[in-house]
């Protein structure tokens, strides 16, 4: 049984650290150093394109092997379930509270998509500091193993956020609106979310393509080739290839997801892994550089989050009861529904937890507030940005009180499966 005082201290530590780092970002914002939009956009780009991919690749490539890959499947399943169950709970919550139709997708998105790219990166090192249940089982590899688990969550969550969430938060008539590009990009850059640059580029490219080709034009060359194939009796083998080329793979798999996939590839192929992390690694300087770049995630992403939240909750006409109801479902009901499923699946043998950190990462992923990327999307599509800002603001303020309680209970549950 974990000592109550030690448990409270362990659970509160990462929340306090997060608050201090976020406060530093808020202070820099107030001082005009981390300014909107230039400063936040630059820092967001560094996190999204440099720090997070480096951290994701290095942790996965150094800790994942073929023998361990099977154990990671529950992490992928849990992250997918977190999104799907969250979307269902968001749908039910919005209807039970009688939310206006225009605001329903905002609530569904906040509950469905969690912040797994910033907050867990602070919690893992805190859990691996001192004599804890995690260090007793994992030793010096505690932080690296925990970060590799978080990297899997980031990969799955990023893929789902940039596909499902975009469709939920995009206005149905968005493609028909004549929006001035410069007026739209300014507030987009001011958000400073980790995905802001990617979203901006994807939308701008789409709009430019629409301007270049406003009406569908038949491609005579393609049609003639298809006709020639039919006359020659040859199958049209270009159809599938043309479809694959038409998919925006960069948007579907953003750089953090690409880094996660590359890290899994290097980790599972021994000759590649030995180049970076073997007994005598030929590419050791590259591995060291990636490790150092990965260390920039926490001092970059959390102050950036604080800078965003320092702007306050904003103004919206959404009733406070609906905001609080959404926060309660997101931070209390959803974490315990999903954590209960995790415990059940471990009990019946559906999940196999190789270490305490494995269970902790799964439970923590179900418990964080909504992803800041959601704010970026609402501004991008000029759709309920004030309502999203208000819900996210109160979600993060409430998380300062709720997360320590949840974490303490999670650790207590983990001790049942891994008695010290």
């Amino acid at each position: 049984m974990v000592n109550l005082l030690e448990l409270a201290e362990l659970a509160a530590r990462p929340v306090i650290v997060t608050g201090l780092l976020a406060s530093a970002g808020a202070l820099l914002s107030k001082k005009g150093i981390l300014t909107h939009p230039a400063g936040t956009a630059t820092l967001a780009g560094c996190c999204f394109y440099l720090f997070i991919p480096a951290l994701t690749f290095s942790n996965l490539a150094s800790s994942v092997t073929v023998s361990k890959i099977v154990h990671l499947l529950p992490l992928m399943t849990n992250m997918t379930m977190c999104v799907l169950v969250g979307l269902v709970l968001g749908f039910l919550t919005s209807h039970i509270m009688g939310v206006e139709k225009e605001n329903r997708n905002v609530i569904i998105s906040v509950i469905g998509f969690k912040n797994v790219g910033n907050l867990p990166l602070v919690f893992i090192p805190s859990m691996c500091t001192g004599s804890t249940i995690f260090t007793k089982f994992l030793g010096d590899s505690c932080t690296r193993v925990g970060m590799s688990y978080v990297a899997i969550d980031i990969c799955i969550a990023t893929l789902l956020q940039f596909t499902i969430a975009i469709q939920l938060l995009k206005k149905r008539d968005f493609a028909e609106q004549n929006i001035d590009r410069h007026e739209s990009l300014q507030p987009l850059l001011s958000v400073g979310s980790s995905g802001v640059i990617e979203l901006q580029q994807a939308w701008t490219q789409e709009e430019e393509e629409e301007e270049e080709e406003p009406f569908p034009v038949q491609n005579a060359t393609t049609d003639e080739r298809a006709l020639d194939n039919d006359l020659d009796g040859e199958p049209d083998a270009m159809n599938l290839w043309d479809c694959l080329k038409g998919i925006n793979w960069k948007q579907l798999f953003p750089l953090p997801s690409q880094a996660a996939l590359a890290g899994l590839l290097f980790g599972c192929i021994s000759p590649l892994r030995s180049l970076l992390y073997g007994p005598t690694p030929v590419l050791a300087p590259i591995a060291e550089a990636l490790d150092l770049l990965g260390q920039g995630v926490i001092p970059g992403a959390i102050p950036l989050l604080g800078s965003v939240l320092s702007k306050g909750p904003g103004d919206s006409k959404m009733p406070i009861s609906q905001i609080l109801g959404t926060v309660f479902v997101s931070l209390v009901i959803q974490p315990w529904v999903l954590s209960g499923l995790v415990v059940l699946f471990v009990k019946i043998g559906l999940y196999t937890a190789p270490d305490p950190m494995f269970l902790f990462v799964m439970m923590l992923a179900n418990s964080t507030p909504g992803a800041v990327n959601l704010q970026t999307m609402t501004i991008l599509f000029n759709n309920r940005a004030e309502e999203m800002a208000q819900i996210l603001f109160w979600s993060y303020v409430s998380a300062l009180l709720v997360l320590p309680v949840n974490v303490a209970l999670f650790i207590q549950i983990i001790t049942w499966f891994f008695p010290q």
Side-chain angles (χ1 to χ4, degrees), residues 262-283:
L264 290 173
L265 181 67
F266 270 73
C268 292
I269 300 177
S270 298
L272 292 178
R273 188 171 188 267
S274 62
L275 292 175
L276 293 169
Y277 302 101
T280 55
V282 178
L283 303 179

Side-chain angles (χ1 to χ4, degrees), residues 53 55-73 75-76 147-149 151-153 155-156 253 256-270 272-273 276-277:
L55 177 74
T56 301
F57 176 86
S58 61
N59 281 295
L60 286 176
S62 62
S63 59
V64 174
T65 60
V66 175
S67 60
K68 295 179 180 179
I69 196 70
V70 177
H71 295 297
L72 297 177
L73 293 178
L75 282 172
M76 303 178 189
M147 290 296 193
S148 68
Y149 294 156
I152 295 295
D153 283 346
C155 179
I156 302 300
F253 291 96
S257 296
Q258 296 176 29
L261 295 175
L264 290 173
L265 181 67
F266 270 73
C268 292
I269 300 177
S270 298
L272 292 178
R273 188 171 188 267
L276 293 169
Y277 302 101

Side-chain angles (χ1 to χ4, degrees), residues 2-58:
V2 180
N3 180 279
L4 186 60
L5 185 60
E6 293 178 355
L7 182 63
E9 189 272 336
L10 181 60
R13 185 194 307 160
V15 177
I16 295 173
V17 171
T18 302
L20 291 173
L21 290 173
S23 299
L27 180 61
L28 290 176
S29 179
K30 296 296 183 183
K31 293 287 186 180
I33 300 173
L34 190 56
T35 57
H36 303 281
T40 52
T42 300
L43 185 54
C46 290
C47 290
F48 189 77
Y49 286 112
L50 192 61
F51 300 149
I52 292 178
L55 177 74
T56 301
F57 176 86
S58 61

Side-chain angles (χ1 to χ4, degrees), residues 61-392:
S62 62
S63 59
V64 174
T65 60
V66 175
S67 60
K68 295 179 180 179
I69 196 70
V70 177
H71 295 297
L72 297 177
L73 293 178
L75 282 172
M76 303 178 189
T77 304
N78 179 73
M79 192 69 254
T80 305
M81 285 183 56
C82 176
V83 173
L84 295 179
V85 172
L87 293 175
V88 172
L89 286 175
F91 177 83
L92 295 175
T93 301
S94 63
H95 281 75
I96 291 173
M97 294 192 303
V99 177
E100 295 180 1
K101 187 176 180 179
E102 294 79 6
N103 293 330
R104 287 177 185 172
N105 283 355
V106 173
I107 291 177
I108 293 173
S109 300
V110 169
I111 299 177
F113 298 98
K114 300 289 190 177
N115 184 336
V116 298
N118 293 338
L119 295 184
L121 300 178
V122 179
F123 277 72
I124 301 304
S126 292
M127 294 294 108
C128 295
T129 301
S131 179
T132 67
I133 183 175
F134 307 104
T135 56
K136 289 178 181 178
F137 277 86
L138 294 172
D140 295 337
S141 64
C142 179
T143 299
R144 183 169 292 277
V145 171
M147 290 296 193
S148 68
Y149 294 156
V150 173
I152 295 295
D153 283 346
I154 291 175
C155 179
I156 302 300
T158 302
L159 176 62
L160 295 174
Q161 282 181 25
F162 283 91
T163 51
I164 300 175
I166 282 180
Q167 298 304 318
L168 284 173
L169 297 175
K170 183 166 59 175
K171 281 185 178 181
R172 295 188 179 183
D173 58 344
F174 179 74
E176 301 174 2
Q177 294 177 357
N178 184 18
I179 303 176
D180 182 78
R181 184 179 308 170
H182 300 289
E183 291 180 357
S184 299
L185 289 183
Q186 280 298 104
L188 172 61
L189 292 173
S190 69
V191 177
S193 168
S194 61
V196 60
I197 308 297
E198 186 74 17
L199 283 171
Q200 173 195 328
Q201 291 177 342
W203 175 69
T204 304
Q205 180 182 1
E206 179 182 353
E207 181 178 308
E208 289 174 352
E209 290 174 354
E210 290 177 357
E211 291 177 354
E212 292 174 358
E213 198 168 307
F215 301 102
V217 179
Q218 293 292 333
N219 189 330
T221 304
T222 304
D223 291 344
E224 290 171 2
R225 183 175 63 244
L227 179 59
D228 290 340
N229 288 339
D230 292 340
L231 292 175
D232 294 339
E234 298 178 2
D236 188 2
M238 293 299 294
N239 285 339
L240 178 59
W241 177 245
D242 289 341
C243 291
L244 293 176
K245 288 196 300 182
I247 298 175
N248 190 338
W249 294 104
K250 184 179 179 181
Q251 183 177 354
L252 189 60
F253 291 96
L255 197 55
S257 296
Q258 296 176 29
L261 295 175
L264 290 173
L265 181 67
F266 270 73
C268 292
I269 300 177
S270 298
L272 292 178
R273 188 171 188 267
S274 62
L275 292 175
L276 293 169
Y277 302 101
T280 55
V282 178
L283 303 179
I286 295 179
E288 293 177 11
L290 289 172
D291 288 339
L292 290 173
L293 286 172
Q295 294 175 18
V297 172
I298 294 175
I302 304 303
L304 180 63
L305 177 63
S307 175
V308 173
L309 296 177
S310 68
K311 296 189 297 181
D315 299 319
S316 76
K317 297 180 180 179
M318 182 177 287
I320 189 64
S321 59
Q322 295 180 359
I323 295 174
L324 295 179
T326 302
V327 172
F328 180 78
V329 172
S330 177
L331 297 181
V332 179
I333 295 180
Q334 183 184 11
W336 285 102
V337 169
L338 291 167
S339 297
L341 290 176
V342 170
V343 172
L344 175 63
F345 292 159
V346 173
K347 280 281 190 181
I348 64 178
L350 191 60
Y351 286 173
T352 300
D355 53 72
M357 183 60 73
F358 189 86
L359 287 179
F360 179 74
V361 169
M362 283 203 291
M363 293 181 178
L364 182 63
N366 302 328
S367 309
T368 56
V372 185
N373 281 332
L374 300 175
Q375 178 70 76
T376 303
M377 296 177 191
T378 56
I379 293 178
L380 169 67
F381 299 118
N382 192 26
N383 185 27
R384 302 293 163 179
E386 292 294 337
E387 285 76 10
M388 180 65 77
Q390 198 161 44
I391 293 177
L392 287 178

